[in-house]
Amino acid sequence: MSRKKIIAGNWKMNKTPQEADALIGALIPAVADADADVVVCVPYTALAGVTALTKNTNIAVGAQNMHFEEKGAFTGEISADMLLALGVKYVIIGHSERRQYFGETDASVNKKTLFALDKGLIPIVCCGESLEQRELGVTNEHVRLQVKAAFQGITAERAAGVVVAYEPIWAIGTGKTATAAQANEVCAVIRGVIGELYGAATAGAVRIQYGGSMNAANAEELLAQSDIDGGLIGGASLKAEDFTAIVKAG
Ligand code: PGA
């Protein structure tokens, strides 16, 4: 089964609205003929500007987080409807930085994933092991557990529409990339879990990204692996030339 590659930038807490507009202005013509799906996950404050600028282009916009309740007294949170009203299509859920610094758990990741699907947003669900877990040899078990927890209660019809991002924590922002073989091995494990839960067709359809210091130089090799269907790119997504090169590699 051939899966369309999906290259997503995760800008994290970078770029004012003005800086975001400038970067998007450079990206629009640069990635216009991309074969891959192109997504930019920008800060909330840049969403209005970036969704307006990317209307009628091949760049889709994502948020970096979202709350799992419809609305109400949740100071500082952003709802799915708020994102949808701006034309946002994707939402990153359970990034390791949110798990590490902001108390995100497997349970909240599951609630958010379910809610995003209910609302028609495409969740990019993150998983990945710490350096300690890799050194202990429990990477596969850990990632399997994260994926099973995230997919809890998701129906078979919806499961294939989830994007999973495998991001080894030790490779994020460190310049240390997993080797293509290491990354592919864990992506295959993730596909295996999805196969156990939903069967071979769903496992063959679901798109699994690699993330963690992916850049213009290593993207091609990573994206050529059998079970890697795209990238979630932090640092290298902040420069138009670098992100464009990764998109082209996809
Ligand atoms: P990085 O971040 O590309 O800067 O390592 C990836 C991510 O955290 O999504």
Side-chain angles (χ1 to χ4, degrees), residues 85-100:
L86 291 176
V88 171
K89 295 222 160 58
Y90 290 82
V91 59
I92 298 174
I93 294 183
H95 189 281
S96 62
E97 286 152 15
R98 297 223 49 94
R99 295 180 191 253
Q100 192 176 345

PDB file of all heavy atoms in Angstrom, residues 85-100:
ATOM      1  N   ALA A  85     -12.644  27.157  13.503  1.00  0.00           N
ATOM      2  CA  ALA A  85     -13.184  28.423  12.992  1.00  0.00           C
ATOM      3  C   ALA A  85     -12.147  29.195  12.189  1.00  0.00           C
ATOM      4  O   ALA A  85     -12.489  30.007  11.325  1.00  0.00           O
ATOM      5  CB  ALA A  85     -13.694  29.272  14.152  1.00  0.00           C
ATOM      6  N   LEU A  86     -10.870  28.927  12.462  1.00  0.00           N
ATOM      7  CA  LEU A  86      -9.801  29.607  11.715  1.00  0.00           C
ATOM      8  C   LEU A  86      -9.379  28.824  10.477  1.00  0.00           C
ATOM      9  O   LEU A  86      -8.553  29.293   9.703  1.00  0.00           O
ATOM     10  CB  LEU A  86      -8.571  29.808  12.617  1.00  0.00           C
ATOM     11  CG  LEU A  86      -8.700  30.803  13.753  1.00  0.00           C
ATOM     12  CD1 LEU A  86      -7.429  30.803  14.592  1.00  0.00           C
ATOM     13  CD2 LEU A  86      -8.970  32.206  13.220  1.00  0.00           C
ATOM     14  N   GLY A  87      -9.893  27.612  10.326  1.00  0.00           N
ATOM     15  CA  GLY A  87      -9.471  26.809   9.174  1.00  0.00           C
ATOM     16  C   GLY A  87      -8.313  25.878   9.481  1.00  0.00           C
ATOM     17  O   GLY A  87      -7.653  25.375   8.567  1.00  0.00           O
ATOM     18  N   VAL A  88      -8.068  25.641  10.768  1.00  0.00           N
ATOM     19  CA  VAL A  88      -7.008  24.706  11.166  1.00  0.00           C
ATOM     20  C   VAL A  88      -7.464  23.274  10.880  1.00  0.00           C
ATOM     21  O   VAL A  88      -8.625  22.933  11.114  1.00  0.00           O
ATOM     22  CB  VAL A  88      -6.689  24.883  12.672  1.00  0.00           C
ATOM     23  CG1 VAL A  88      -5.761  23.791  13.179  1.00  0.00           C
ATOM     24  CG2 VAL A  88      -6.079  26.258  12.906  1.00  0.00           C
ATOM     25  N   LYS A  89      -6.546  22.444  10.368  1.00  0.00           N
ATOM     26  CA  LYS A  89      -6.913  21.064   9.984  1.00  0.00           C
ATOM     27  C   LYS A  89      -6.258  19.996  10.861  1.00  0.00           C
ATOM     28  O   LYS A  89      -6.759  18.887  10.988  1.00  0.00           O
ATOM     29  CB  LYS A  89      -6.482  20.805   8.544  1.00  0.00           C
ATOM     30  CG  LYS A  89      -7.207  21.655   7.515  1.00  0.00           C
ATOM     31  CD  LYS A  89      -7.586  20.819   6.290  1.00  0.00           C
ATOM     32  CE  LYS A  89      -8.690  21.450   5.487  1.00  0.00           C
ATOM     33  NZ  LYS A  89      -8.372  22.798   5.013  1.00  0.00           N
ATOM     34  N   TYR A  90      -5.095  20.303  11.405  1.00  0.00           N
ATOM     35  CA  TYR A  90      -4.325  19.304  12.157  1.00  0.00           C
ATOM     36  C   TYR A  90      -4.093  19.799  13.585  1.00  0.00           C
ATOM     37  O   TYR A  90      -4.094  21.009  13.833  1.00  0.00           O
ATOM     38  CB  TYR A  90      -2.950  19.096  11.516  1.00  0.00           C
ATOM     39  CG  TYR A  90      -2.974  18.395  10.172  1.00  0.00           C
ATOM     40  CD1 TYR A  90      -3.245  19.091   8.992  1.00  0.00           C
ATOM     41  CD2 TYR A  90      -2.703  17.034  10.077  1.00  0.00           C
ATOM     42  CE1 TYR A  90      -3.258  18.446   7.756  1.00  0.00           C
ATOM     43  CE2 TYR A  90      -2.706  16.385   8.842  1.00  0.00           C
ATOM     44  CZ  TYR A  90      -2.981  17.090   7.693  1.00  0.00           C
ATOM     45  OH  TYR A  90      -2.985  16.451   6.484  1.00  0.00           O
ATOM     46  N   VAL A  91      -3.839  18.870  14.480  1.00  0.00           N
ATOM     47  CA  VAL A  91      -3.419  19.279  15.822  1.00  0.00           C
ATOM     48  C   VAL A  91      -2.435  18.245  16.375  1.00  0.00           C
ATOM     49  O   VAL A  91      -2.692  17.035  16.327  1.00  0.00           O
ATOM     50  CB  VAL A  91      -4.638  19.510  16.761  1.00  0.00           C
ATOM     51  CG1 VAL A  91      -5.499  18.267  16.926  1.00  0.00           C
ATOM     52  CG2 VAL A  91      -4.177  20.009  18.128  1.00  0.00           C
ATOM     53  N   ILE A  92      -1.297  18.749  16.818  1.00  0.00           N
ATOM     54  CA  ILE A  92      -0.311  17.873  17.466  1.00  0.00           C
ATOM     55  C   ILE A  92      -0.836  17.537  18.860  1.00  0.00           C
ATOM     56  O   ILE A  92      -1.289  18.418  19.597  1.00  0.00           O
ATOM     57  CB  ILE A  92       1.067  18.562  17.595  1.00  0.00           C
ATOM     58  CG1 ILE A  92       1.641  18.890  16.210  1.00  0.00           C
ATOM     59  CG2 ILE A  92       2.040  17.697  18.392  1.00  0.00           C
ATOM     60  CD1 ILE A  92       2.938  19.712  16.265  1.00  0.00           C
ATOM     61  N   ILE A  93      -0.770  16.274  19.203  1.00  0.00           N
ATOM     62  CA  ILE A  93      -1.250  15.849  20.524  1.00  0.00           C
ATOM     63  C   ILE A  93      -0.180  15.025  21.226  1.00  0.00           C
ATOM     64  O   ILE A  93       0.396  14.098  20.646  1.00  0.00           O
ATOM     65  CB  ILE A  93      -2.567  15.058  20.387  1.00  0.00           C
ATOM     66  CG1 ILE A  93      -3.643  16.021  19.865  1.00  0.00           C
ATOM     67  CG2 ILE A  93      -2.980  14.435  21.721  1.00  0.00           C
ATOM     68  CD1 ILE A  93      -4.999  15.465  19.734  1.00  0.00           C
ATOM     69  N   GLY A  94       0.089  15.403  22.475  1.00  0.00           N
ATOM     70  CA  GLY A  94       1.005  14.614  23.293  1.00  0.00           C
ATOM     71  C   GLY A  94       2.461  14.711  22.898  1.00  0.00           C
ATOM     72  O   GLY A  94       3.230  13.764  23.086  1.00  0.00           O
ATOM     73  N   HIS A  95       2.861  15.882  22.390  1.00  0.00           N
ATOM     74  CA  HIS A  95       4.294  16.066  22.122  1.00  0.00           C
ATOM     75  C   HIS A  95       5.068  15.828  23.424  1.00  0.00           C
ATOM     76  O   HIS A  95       4.585  16.167  24.507  1.00  0.00           O
ATOM     77  CB  HIS A  95       4.543  17.482  21.594  1.00  0.00           C
ATOM     78  CG  HIS A  95       5.938  17.673  21.100  1.00  0.00           C
ATOM     79  ND1 HIS A  95       6.991  17.897  21.951  1.00  0.00           N
ATOM     80  CD2 HIS A  95       6.462  17.609  19.858  1.00  0.00           C
ATOM     81  CE1 HIS A  95       8.110  17.985  21.230  1.00  0.00           C
ATOM     82  NE2 HIS A  95       7.813  17.813  19.961  1.00  0.00           N
ATOM     83  N   SER A  96       6.253  15.295  23.303  1.00  0.00           N
ATOM     84  CA  SER A  96       7.013  14.949  24.524  1.00  0.00           C
ATOM     85  C   SER A  96       7.284  16.175  25.392  1.00  0.00           C
ATOM     86  O   SER A  96       7.385  16.060  26.615  1.00  0.00           O
ATOM     87  CB  SER A  96       8.325  14.257  24.176  1.00  0.00           C
ATOM     88  OG  SER A  96       9.136  15.116  23.420  1.00  0.00           O
ATOM     89  N   GLU A  97       7.384  17.354  24.767  1.00  0.00           N
ATOM     90  CA  GLU A  97       7.596  18.559  25.584  1.00  0.00           C
ATOM     91  C   GLU A  97       6.349  18.866  26.410  1.00  0.00           C
ATOM     92  O   GLU A  97       6.450  19.368  27.532  1.00  0.00           O
ATOM     93  CB  GLU A  97       7.975  19.749  24.671  1.00  0.00           C
ATOM     94  CG  GLU A  97       9.411  19.597  24.184  1.00  0.00           C
ATOM     95  CD  GLU A  97       9.679  20.249  22.836  1.00  0.00           C
ATOM     96  OE1 GLU A  97       8.878  21.066  22.372  1.00  0.00           O
ATOM     97  OE2 GLU A  97      10.737  19.902  22.237  1.00  0.00           O
ATOM     98  N   ARG A  98       5.184  18.561  25.901  1.00  0.00           N
ATOM     99  CA  ARG A  98       3.954  18.758  26.667  1.00  0.00           C
ATOM    100  C   ARG A  98       3.837  17.696  27.767  1.00  0.00           C
ATOM    101  O   ARG A  98       3.357  17.965  28.860  1.00  0.00           O
ATOM    102  CB  ARG A  98       2.726  18.749  25.761  1.00  0.00           C
ATOM    103  CG  ARG A  98       2.748  19.898  24.765  1.00  0.00           C
ATOM    104  CD  ARG A  98       1.426  20.572  24.607  1.00  0.00           C
ATOM    105  NE  ARG A  98       0.806  20.911  25.874  1.00  0.00           N
ATOM    106  CZ  ARG A  98       0.927  22.096  26.485  1.00  0.00           C
ATOM    107  NH1 ARG A  98       1.653  23.054  25.972  1.00  0.00           N
ATOM    108  NH2 ARG A  98       0.308  22.310  27.619  1.00  0.00           N
ATOM    109  N   ARG A  99       4.299  16.494  27.458  1.00  0.00           N
ATOM    110  CA  ARG A  99       4.270  15.444  28.489  1.00  0.00           C
ATOM    111  C   ARG A  99       5.264  15.784  29.596  1.00  0.00           C
ATOM    112  O   ARG A  99       4.966  15.635  30.782  1.00  0.00           O
ATOM    113  CB  ARG A  99       4.632  14.095  27.860  1.00  0.00           C
ATOM    114  CG  ARG A  99       3.626  13.579  26.820  1.00  0.00           C
ATOM    115  CD  ARG A  99       4.104  12.237  26.263  1.00  0.00           C
ATOM    116  NE  ARG A  99       3.380  11.774  25.105  1.00  0.00           N
ATOM    117  CZ  ARG A  99       2.501  10.755  25.094  1.00  0.00           C
ATOM    118  NH1 ARG A  99       2.212  10.102  26.203  1.00  0.00           N
ATOM    119  NH2 ARG A  99       1.921  10.375  23.972  1.00  0.00           N
ATOM    120  N   GLN A 100       6.439  16.273  29.185  1.00  0.00           N
ATOM    121  CA  GLN A 100       7.524  16.518  30.133  1.00  0.00           C
ATOM    122  C   GLN A 100       7.314  17.776  30.977  1.00  0.00           C
ATOM    123  O   GLN A 100       7.549  17.760  32.177  1.00  0.00           O
ATOM    124  CB  GLN A 100       8.828  16.659  29.327  1.00  0.00           C
ATOM    125  CG  GLN A 100      10.087  16.631  30.148  1.00  0.00           C
ATOM    126  CD  GLN A 100      11.321  16.671  29.243  1.00  0.00           C
ATOM    127  OE1 GLN A 100      11.245  16.446  28.016  1.00  0.00           O
ATOM    128  NE2 GLN A 100      12.471  16.957  29.827  1.00  0.00           N
TER     129      GLN A 100
END
